[in-house]
Amino acid sequence: MRILAKTIDLVAAFDASPNPYMLLDSDLRYAGMNQAYLDVTGMTRDELIGRPVLEVFNGGPSEDGPENARQLLASFEKVLTTGAPDNLAVLRYALSRKDKYGEIVYEDRYWSCTHTPIKNNGGRVTHILQHTSDITELVRLRGQMKRLRPEGRSTALDSLVGGGVLRRALTVQADNRRLETERRQLLDMFMQTPGFVAILNGPDHIVQMHNGAYGQLIGHRDVVGKPLREALPDLGHQGYFDLLDDILATGEPLMGHERAVELQRAQNAPLETRYLNFTCHPIRDEAENNVGVIIQGYDVTDTILAAERQKLMIDELNHRVKNTLATVQSIAMQTARSHEDPRSFAETFQSRILALSHTHDLLTRSHWEGADLRAVMEHETAAHGPHRMSLNGPHVALHPATAVSLGMIFHELATNAAKYGALSPGDGRVMVSWSVQDDAAPSLHILWQEVGGPAVVAPERRGFGSRLIERNVRHDLGGQVQLHYRDDGFSAEITMPLQKDAA
């Protein structure tokens, strides 16, 4: 009962106070007010409870109305954000009332406001208590004194009504508004800058604040208010804590260029290597003591990885160009040995270079990641018509070097068949079948078989085509080849190892 009596006394005292008070909830809606507040506003509790304060006091129709409403809202938001009281020394705000004809009119009034936070047990601001003093008559009296006094001189009465105090209050309030605007603009710039920024305080390097780019770098971990060793323990073995200690001890800044750092950027994820360009500068107080460190920089990981990929591509390109030139040189030398006539040499050499080009075209389409065995065969035998070629086998992905070697082999087989075998004029056909054997150590078996063509006899000497086939299979592909010259047609059997991913 004693507690209840005290509560009733406090409510009664609040309502009986001659000074206007009102209470807002965290959504800035009216939660209560005393009788003095109702008297000065000319409104009732039913008209105010639950309504947004800026709906009731919107600044009025004057030119200054929006700015006055903005100042009031800014003060409320500051209390909610900081949990500390805020004062408006002088606020010009119009009150609405009804004239004798029932029309709404606005009367300019001047107020001095104090906004005090009310917090729950957890420290969160739940309400704002506003105490206002109507200083309209004081402002008006000061204006009258200013008009009556001699130019440039203050009177005792002017000082008595607070002219100097009021003038200084207005100046301080204007400066505070300007500084608050500048602070908010700087904070917005800080948060939106594309590079990462973090501010560390004290010898424990407590994270005071950081921007969005820094949050993204560290995996959006909750680090504000924590010592860096606790917030980012994954840095412990990388020497960065010692570097920060040295900056505080010596006051010397530190720069890092493309420096590797390992960070856990997602919960339970492994450490990820990022490359950073950064600077760390000491923060000094008025006595020139080192009190903190500011870190700023850029994540250049994508640039580093792109440069590495480019180097790998250039190295691979150089390797392929050397191999291609060596192949072209070999083709030219071997073709020249077999063709003394320049015209026949040119035709044969050109056809073999075109065969090499066809396979390169296939590989280019896949960005040199490989080519399908059937596609290589179709490219090298397309000139002889699909009705004379029968291709049968599973999908086999060939690595680039394997595709180039098999492309040259199929070209030589098809050229030989067109000159002497089943693809020469007549009704002969070529049947090509292939299969992959032994999943543990996969090998590719290819059978090239010609039927329906002229009788075939073994050549008295090996030509360039036979030598190229045997050399490519044995040396380049690490396999075995058997060439059969029978009365019923030529056949070739090729067996070669495959990498498991190709199979």
Side-chain angles (χ1 to χ4, degrees), residues 315-337:
D315 291 344
E316 179 65 18
L317 179 61
N318 287 335
H319 178 68
R320 290 172 186 169
V321 168
K322 289 178 181 178
N323 286 347
T324 301
L325 291 175
T327 302
V328 171
Q329 183 182 28
S330 176
I331 292 173
M333 293 175 61
Q334 296 294 337
T335 304
R337 290 176 185 174

mmCIF file of all heavy atoms in Angstrom, residues 315-337:
data_model
loop_
_atom_site.group_PDB
_atom_site.id
_atom_site.type_symbol
_atom_site.label_atom_id
_atom_site.label_comp_id
_atom_site.label_asym_id
_atom_site.label_seq_id
_atom_site.Cartn_x
_atom_site.Cartn_y
_atom_site.Cartn_z
ATOM 1 N N ASP A 315 51.424 -18.381 -69.791
ATOM 2 C CA ASP A 315 52.351 -19.519 -69.797
ATOM 3 C C ASP A 315 51.784 -20.681 -70.607
ATOM 4 O O ASP A 315 52.510 -21.337 -71.368
ATOM 5 C CB ASP A 315 52.632 -19.972 -68.361
ATOM 6 C CG ASP A 315 53.444 -18.949 -67.573
ATOM 7 O OD1 ASP A 315 54.039 -18.061 -68.212
ATOM 8 O OD2 ASP A 315 53.463 -19.038 -66.336
ATOM 9 N N GLU A 316 50.492 -20.948 -70.420
ATOM 10 C CA GLU A 316 49.864 -22.029 -71.170
ATOM 11 C C GLU A 316 49.856 -21.721 -72.667
ATOM 12 O O GLU A 316 50.078 -22.612 -73.500
ATOM 13 C CB GLU A 316 48.434 -22.241 -70.658
ATOM 14 C CG GLU A 316 47.648 -23.340 -71.366
ATOM 15 C CD GLU A 316 48.231 -24.715 -71.137
ATOM 16 O OE1 GLU A 316 49.015 -24.896 -70.183
ATOM 17 O OE2 GLU A 316 47.903 -25.625 -71.925
ATOM 18 N N LEU A 317 49.580 -20.453 -73.005
ATOM 19 C CA LEU A 317 49.575 -20.059 -74.411
ATOM 20 C C LEU A 317 50.960 -20.254 -75.028
ATOM 21 O O LEU A 317 51.082 -20.778 -76.150
ATOM 22 C CB LEU A 317 49.121 -18.604 -74.544
ATOM 23 C CG LEU A 317 49.081 -18.026 -75.967
ATOM 24 C CD1 LEU A 317 48.097 -18.804 -76.831
ATOM 25 C CD2 LEU A 317 48.724 -16.549 -75.927
ATOM 26 N N ASN A 318 51.997 -19.826 -74.289
ATOM 27 C CA ASN A 318 53.359 -20.016 -74.799
ATOM 28 C C ASN A 318 53.653 -21.499 -75.020
ATOM 29 O O ASN A 318 54.264 -21.885 -76.033
ATOM 30 C CB ASN A 318 54.371 -19.431 -73.810
ATOM 31 C CG ASN A 318 54.379 -17.915 -73.822
ATOM 32 O OD1 ASN A 318 54.002 -17.304 -74.824
ATOM 33 N ND2 ASN A 318 54.779 -17.308 -72.725
ATOM 34 N N HIS A 319 53.220 -22.324 -74.066
ATOM 35 C CA HIS A 319 53.447 -23.770 -74.183
ATOM 36 C C HIS A 319 52.743 -24.322 -75.422
ATOM 37 O O HIS A 319 53.326 -25.115 -76.183
ATOM 38 C CB HIS A 319 52.949 -24.454 -72.917
ATOM 39 C CG HIS A 319 53.080 -25.941 -72.937
ATOM 40 N ND1 HIS A 319 54.301 -26.582 -72.905
ATOM 41 C CD2 HIS A 319 52.129 -26.921 -73.006
ATOM 42 C CE1 HIS A 319 54.108 -27.890 -72.935
ATOM 43 N NE2 HIS A 319 52.803 -28.122 -73.002
ATOM 44 N N ARG A 320 51.484 -23.906 -75.615
ATOM 45 C CA ARG A 320 50.723 -24.427 -76.756
ATOM 46 C C ARG A 320 51.293 -23.941 -78.084
ATOM 47 O O ARG A 320 51.341 -24.690 -79.065
ATOM 48 C CB ARG A 320 49.259 -24.009 -76.638
ATOM 49 C CG ARG A 320 48.523 -24.706 -75.502
ATOM 50 C CD ARG A 320 47.147 -24.137 -75.301
ATOM 51 N NE ARG A 320 46.492 -24.718 -74.128
ATOM 52 C CZ ARG A 320 45.370 -24.258 -73.605
ATOM 53 N NH1 ARG A 320 44.790 -23.198 -74.152
ATOM 54 N NH2 ARG A 320 44.838 -24.831 -72.547
ATOM 55 N N VAL A 321 51.716 -22.673 -78.110
ATOM 56 C CA VAL A 321 52.287 -22.145 -79.349
ATOM 57 C C VAL A 321 53.566 -22.903 -79.705
ATOM 58 O O VAL A 321 53.784 -23.268 -80.877
ATOM 59 C CB VAL A 321 52.569 -20.629 -79.200
ATOM 60 C CG1 VAL A 321 53.430 -20.129 -80.361
ATOM 61 C CG2 VAL A 321 51.259 -19.856 -79.151
ATOM 62 N N LYS A 322 54.419 -23.163 -78.697
ATOM 63 C CA LYS A 322 55.650 -23.913 -78.955
ATOM 64 C C LYS A 322 55.328 -25.315 -79.477
ATOM 65 O O LYS A 322 55.957 -25.802 -80.425
ATOM 66 C CB LYS A 322 56.489 -23.993 -77.688
ATOM 67 C CG LYS A 322 57.120 -22.669 -77.277
ATOM 68 C CD LYS A 322 57.909 -22.816 -75.979
ATOM 69 C CE LYS A 322 58.522 -21.490 -75.568
ATOM 70 N NZ LYS A 322 59.251 -21.591 -74.280
ATOM 71 N N ASN A 323 54.337 -25.974 -78.822
ATOM 72 C CA ASN A 323 53.953 -27.313 -79.272
ATOM 73 C C ASN A 323 53.402 -27.295 -80.684
ATOM 74 O O ASN A 323 53.693 -28.171 -81.506
ATOM 75 C CB ASN A 323 52.928 -27.915 -78.320
ATOM 76 C CG ASN A 323 53.546 -28.362 -77.013
ATOM 77 O OD1 ASN A 323 54.770 -28.443 -76.897
ATOM 78 N ND2 ASN A 323 52.720 -28.629 -76.021
ATOM 79 N N THR A 324 52.560 -26.273 -80.968
ATOM 80 C CA THR A 324 51.957 -26.177 -82.299
ATOM 81 C C THR A 324 53.028 -25.929 -83.356
ATOM 82 O O THR A 324 53.011 -26.551 -84.437
ATOM 83 C CB THR A 324 50.911 -25.048 -82.329
ATOM 84 O OG1 THR A 324 49.899 -25.327 -81.355
ATOM 85 C CG2 THR A 324 50.255 -24.948 -83.698
ATOM 86 N N LEU A 325 53.970 -25.033 -83.058
ATOM 87 C CA LEU A 325 55.039 -24.756 -84.016
ATOM 88 C C LEU A 325 55.896 -25.996 -84.238
ATOM 89 O O LEU A 325 56.328 -26.275 -85.377
ATOM 90 C CB LEU A 325 55.905 -23.598 -83.517
ATOM 91 C CG LEU A 325 55.231 -22.215 -83.517
ATOM 92 C CD1 LEU A 325 56.156 -21.173 -82.896
ATOM 93 C CD2 LEU A 325 54.852 -21.798 -84.936
ATOM 94 N N ALA A 326 56.147 -26.743 -83.144
ATOM 95 C CA ALA A 326 56.921 -27.980 -83.294
ATOM 96 C C ALA A 326 56.172 -28.981 -84.161
ATOM 97 O O ALA A 326 56.771 -29.677 -85.008
ATOM 98 C CB ALA A 326 57.217 -28.573 -81.920
ATOM 99 N N THR A 327 54.843 -29.057 -83.977
ATOM 100 C CA THR A 327 54.030 -29.959 -84.802
ATOM 101 C C THR A 327 54.049 -29.530 -86.262
ATOM 102 O O THR A 327 54.208 -30.362 -87.174
ATOM 103 C CB THR A 327 52.579 -29.983 -84.279
ATOM 104 O OG1 THR A 327 52.579 -30.405 -82.908
ATOM 105 C CG2 THR A 327 51.723 -30.945 -85.101
ATOM 106 N N VAL A 328 53.895 -28.238 -86.498
ATOM 107 C CA VAL A 328 53.922 -27.728 -87.877
ATOM 108 C C VAL A 328 55.277 -27.999 -88.517
ATOM 109 O O VAL A 328 55.366 -28.411 -89.691
ATOM 110 C CB VAL A 328 53.591 -26.223 -87.896
ATOM 111 C CG1 VAL A 328 53.827 -25.636 -89.284
ATOM 112 C CG2 VAL A 328 52.148 -25.992 -87.460
ATOM 113 N N GLN A 329 56.342 -27.771 -87.749
ATOM 114 C CA GLN A 329 57.688 -28.025 -88.284
ATOM 115 C C GLN A 329 57.865 -29.502 -88.636
ATOM 116 O O GLN A 329 58.422 -29.841 -89.705
ATOM 117 C CB GLN A 329 58.732 -27.598 -87.247
ATOM 118 C CG GLN A 329 60.171 -27.755 -87.735
ATOM 119 C CD GLN A 329 61.175 -27.372 -86.659
ATOM 120 O OE1 GLN A 329 60.883 -27.483 -85.473
ATOM 121 N NE2 GLN A 329 62.356 -26.925 -87.080
ATOM 122 N N SER A 330 57.386 -30.389 -87.759
ATOM 123 C CA SER A 330 57.487 -31.818 -88.029
ATOM 124 C C SER A 330 56.683 -32.207 -89.269
ATOM 125 O O SER A 330 57.147 -32.978 -90.125
ATOM 126 C CB SER A 330 57.009 -32.612 -86.824
ATOM 127 O OG SER A 330 57.014 -34.000 -87.094
ATOM 128 N N ILE A 331 55.461 -31.659 -89.385
ATOM 129 C CA ILE A 331 54.623 -31.951 -90.558
ATOM 130 C C ILE A 331 55.317 -31.499 -91.833
ATOM 131 O O ILE A 331 55.340 -32.209 -92.851
ATOM 132 C CB ILE A 331 53.250 -31.275 -90.405
ATOM 133 C CG1 ILE A 331 52.442 -31.930 -89.274
ATOM 134 C CG2 ILE A 331 52.458 -31.342 -91.709
ATOM 135 C CD1 ILE A 331 51.156 -31.211 -88.949
ATOM 136 N N ALA A 332 55.894 -30.298 -91.775
ATOM 137 C CA ALA A 332 56.553 -29.761 -92.963
ATOM 138 C C ALA A 332 57.742 -30.632 -93.376
ATOM 139 O O ALA A 332 57.920 -30.974 -94.564
ATOM 140 C CB ALA A 332 57.020 -28.335 -92.696
ATOM 141 N N MET A 333 58.573 -31.032 -92.406
ATOM 142 C CA MET A 333 59.767 -31.832 -92.729
ATOM 143 C C MET A 333 59.371 -33.209 -93.250
ATOM 144 O O MET A 333 59.910 -33.684 -94.261
ATOM 145 C CB MET A 333 60.646 -31.971 -91.481
ATOM 146 C CG MET A 333 61.272 -30.658 -91.023
ATOM 147 S SD MET A 333 62.189 -30.819 -89.465
ATOM 148 C CE MET A 333 63.426 -32.015 -89.975
ATOM 149 N N GLN A 334 58.410 -33.859 -92.592
ATOM 150 C CA GLN A 334 58.018 -35.197 -93.015
ATOM 151 C C GLN A 334 57.312 -35.170 -94.362
ATOM 152 O O GLN A 334 57.494 -36.065 -95.202
ATOM 153 C CB GLN A 334 57.108 -35.827 -91.949
ATOM 154 C CG GLN A 334 57.774 -36.053 -90.606
ATOM 155 C CD GLN A 334 58.877 -37.091 -90.692
ATOM 156 O OE1 GLN A 334 58.891 -37.937 -91.585
ATOM 157 N NE2 GLN A 334 59.848 -37.003 -89.769
ATOM 158 N N THR A 335 56.491 -34.122 -94.595
ATOM 159 C CA THR A 335 55.806 -34.014 -95.888
ATOM 160 C C THR A 335 56.802 -33.776 -97.009
ATOM 161 O O THR A 335 56.678 -34.319 -98.112
ATOM 162 C CB THR A 335 54.770 -32.880 -95.846
ATOM 163 O OG1 THR A 335 53.869 -33.112 -94.755
ATOM 164 C CG2 THR A 335 53.964 -32.819 -97.135
ATOM 165 N N ALA A 336 57.816 -32.946 -96.734
ATOM 166 C CA ALA A 336 58.822 -32.653 -97.759
ATOM 167 C C ALA A 336 59.605 -33.909 -98.153
ATOM 168 O O ALA A 336 59.979 -34.086 -99.321
ATOM 169 C CB ALA A 336 59.774 -31.576 -97.244
ATOM 170 N N ARG A 337 59.833 -34.801 -97.177
ATOM 171 C CA ARG A 337 60.557 -36.024 -97.491
ATOM 172 C C ARG A 337 59.762 -36.930 -98.426
ATOM 173 O O ARG A 337 60.339 -37.693 -99.212
ATOM 174 C CB ARG A 337 60.869 -36.784 -96.199
ATOM 175 C CG ARG A 337 61.900 -36.108 -95.317
ATOM 176 C CD ARG A 337 62.071 -36.879 -94.016
ATOM 177 N NE ARG A 337 62.979 -36.180 -93.091
ATOM 178 C CZ ARG A 337 63.197 -36.579 -91.853
ATOM 179 N NH1 ARG A 337 62.576 -37.664 -91.385
ATOM 180 N NH2 ARG A 337 64.031 -35.902 -91.078
#
